[in-house]
Amino acid sequence: MIVGSLIVSALPKPKDRVKIVYLTMLFAMGTENFILAFSREPVLWCTGQAIGWLFVPVMSTNLEVILRGSIPVELQGRVYACRNTLQFFTIPIGLFLGGFMVDDVCEPFMVRHGDLPILRTLFGIGKGSGAALMMFILGVTGSLICVIVGGRLKKYHYNEM
């Protein structure tokens, strides 16, 4: 996060902050989740996490500029309270669903079908192959959401005065 914050402070002001938000999320989510899904070494997992989180400050900074510049000051407290509520109450839900998916869906799936050459090659065999499958699913769905939402956001541009 510190490296990402230094990167943000060194970058010039972007022409299209909306585009920066969805492209950094696409890159961060895709890179991190696919490295976690396809690698078998802890050092690569750490590298994937670092790459994934490196661009989060870039995304956050641009989102903050958009929100602060487009929401009237008298409404910012309400909007930020609502945003933070929605953002932070979903974290435990996501952790619960992720654990459920790994333990009750992906691991059993890999036990039954993990001997298929494509699955064995991509996700390995045995304990942890279901978690790799889950990271792959998360990477694909997250990347698709970023691409779909990014396509819809192309008509919006935010350039501060």
Side-chain angles (χ1 to χ4, degrees):
M1 293 290 282
I2 293 172
V3 173
S5 297
L6 294 171
I7 288 172
V8 170
S9 63
L11 290 175
K13 182 173 81 170
K15 293 183 175 148
D16 186 355
R17 291 189 184 273
V18 173
K19 187 175 186 178
I20 296 295
V21 169
Y22 72 81
L23 286 179
T24 53
M25 281 312 301
L26 175 63
F27 179 78
M29 180 171 291
T31 304
E32 178 180 2
N33 289 320
F34 291 127
I35 288 174
L36 291 172
F38 298 133
S39 64
R40 312 261 189 303
E41 299 296 323
V43 73
L44 292 176
W45 297 336
C46 293
T47 302
Q49 289 276 295
I51 291 170
W53 282 95
L54 185 65
F55 289 96
V56 170
V58 176
M59 184 273 305
S60 298
T61 300
N62 283 284
L63 183 59
E64 288 297 316
V65 170
I66 293 169
L67 291 175
R68 289 179 190 261
S70 57
I71 298 168
V73 174
E74 61 274 5
L75 295 178
Q76 285 183 5
R78 293 178 193 163
V79 171
Y80 277 92
C82 182
R83 183 199 69 167
N84 289 346
T85 300
L86 293 172
Q87 178 180 350
F88 293 116
F89 99 88
T90 59
I91 292 171
I93 294 170
L95 293 172
F96 171 77
L97 290 176
F100 169 78
M101 286 292 295
V102 169
D103 292 342
D104 296 333
V105 177
C106 295
E107 286 287 340
F109 177 85
M110 290 302 291
V111 166
R112 284 192 294 279
H113 305 289
D115 57 342
L116 293 171
I118 186 74
L119 294 176
R120 185 174 55 243
T121 301
L122 290 175
F123 309 117
I125 57 171
K127 196 75 173 148
S129 60
L133 174 61
M134 179 61 202
M135 295 311 296
F136 175 75
I137 292 168
L138 189 60
V140 168
T141 55
S143 296
L144 282 174
I145 289 169
C146 285
V147 168
I148 291 167
V149 170
R152 291 183 177 178
L153 291 177
K154 283 184 180 180
K155 61 184 172 186
Y156 300 101
H157 299 282
Y158 181 81
N159 298 314
E160 64 268 24
M161 306 295 166

